[in-house]
Amino acid sequence: MTLLAVERIKLFTTRSPWWCALVTLVLTIGFSALIVGNSGDGEPSATVASTQFGYGFGTAVIMVLAALSVTTEYRFGTMRTTFQAIPRRGRALLSKAVVVALLGLVIGEVSAFGSWAVGILLKPEAELALNSAADWVNVAGVGVVYALAAVLAVAVGILLRHSAGAIALLLIYALAVEGLVQLIPGIGNDIHQWMPFNVAEKFLSGDGASNAVDGIAAGAPLSDSPLSQAWALAYFAGVVLVLLAVAIGVAKKRDA
């Protein structure tokens, strides 16, 4: 608990978490207002899934926040002080990952339910009630995805130790690489099915039960992952934890 408290203090005494949290909320809720507000009274109408249309932009900002939580320590040399005070580097880095993940979880839930609430205010006549498990996962699951994405970004930050490099890699991968993989002739679609953020999308959207009105799709395209929602979450979490384990192992063997 002491390590978690130390990491919490270090995180919240800098400005970047506050700014990133604000940007995440503005992007996700603002984008939800834009999409839902411009949905027609007929088809396509607003759905629970369409209120979460902007969560991907929030994911990118959360990863920036998480990467900075690590790389700024390397930049200013405080990571060396941390490792001198806590020789067991794995515990220190794991504590940082937990704190950042919890922050990502909170921001994700606030942004997701905030987006959903804005959707209800703008389109009170639309079918936006959380009446099924699929609806609840589509909204509440955003916080889980943000938490795991934050841990992934911490791992990348540990491996690269450079703010610009880590942020560039994370943003390029999340916003471009997975989509471009589909353009590879022959095997592109097969590879895309197993890309981490595509699988995370499958966890949120499932088979599209919260993404349709009267059986007609009205939201974003669904993930092409063959996994069920539960296995999709397990797969995404597994990829993140393996990457974190590799990053901690590397950090133990090199100079701070």
Side-chain angles (χ1 to χ4, degrees):
M1 294 301 293
T2 301
L3 286 177
L4 294 177
V6 169
E7 291 300 332
R8 175 182 56 80
I9 293 170
K10 287 197 293 185
L11 182 64
F12 286 106
T13 50
T14 61
R15 296 178 182 177
S16 58
W18 303 102
W19 280 110
C20 288
L22 178 61
V23 171
T24 300
L25 294 177
V26 170
L27 279 176
T28 54
I29 296 176
F31 205 83
S32 173
L34 180 64
I35 295 298
V36 175
N38 284 288
S39 62
D41 294 328
E43 298 294 347
S45 183
T47 65
V48 171
S50 64
T51 66
Q52 305 303 311
F53 220 96
Y55 93 91
F57 298 106
T59 303
V61 180
I62 290 296
M63 290 196 296
V64 170
L65 183 161
L68 287 174
S69 72
V70 176
T71 57
T72 51
E73 285 210 57
Y74 280 110
R75 177 185 175 188
F76 292 108
T78 55
M79 188 65 81
R80 183 177 294 105
T81 303
T82 297
F83 288 158
Q84 288 175 344
I86 309 168
R88 297 178 63 179
R89 296 183 178 186
R91 292 182 60 190
L93 295 173
L94 186 59
S95 297
K96 181 180 292 294
V98 169
V99 170
V100 175
L102 290 175
L103 178 59
L105 175 66
V106 171
I107 295 174
E109 297 301 339
V110 173
S111 66
F113 281 97
S115 298
W116 172 70
V118 166
I120 292 177
L121 289 175
L122 293 176
K123 293 288 182 179
E125 73 282 0
E127 298 177 13
L128 297 179
L130 303 180
N131 292 323
S132 67
D135 293 336
W136 277 101
V137 170
N138 209 158
V139 178
V142 171
V144 177
V145 172
Y146 279 17
L148 291 172
V151 175
L152 185 150
V154 166
V156 172
I158 294 170
L159 290 170
L160 297 186
R161 302 197 294 184
H162 189 277
S163 296
I167 291 171
L169 177 62
L170 289 165
L171 293 183
I172 290 172
Y173 179 83
L175 300 178
V177 171
E178 290 204 0
L180 293 175
V181 163
Q182 298 178 84
L183 301 179
I184 300 175
I187 61 172
N189 290 331
D190 293 332
I191 297 175
H192 183 258
Q193 291 179 354
W194 299 98
M195 301 298 277
F197 287 102
N198 178 52
V199 175
E201 174 63 33
K202 183 58 177 282
F203 161 63
L204 292 176
S205 60
D207 296 324
S210 64
N211 196 37
V213 177
D214 297 328
I216 302 175
L222 299 177
S223 167
D224 60 357
S225 171
L227 298 174
S228 67
Q229 284 181 280
W231 279 110
L233 176 61
Y235 177 87
F236 185 50
V239 170
V240 169
L241 293 177
V242 167
L243 184 59
L244 179 63
V246 170
I248 291 176
V250 171
K252 288 179 178 179
K253 296 179 180 179
R254 68 186 180 190
D255 294 336

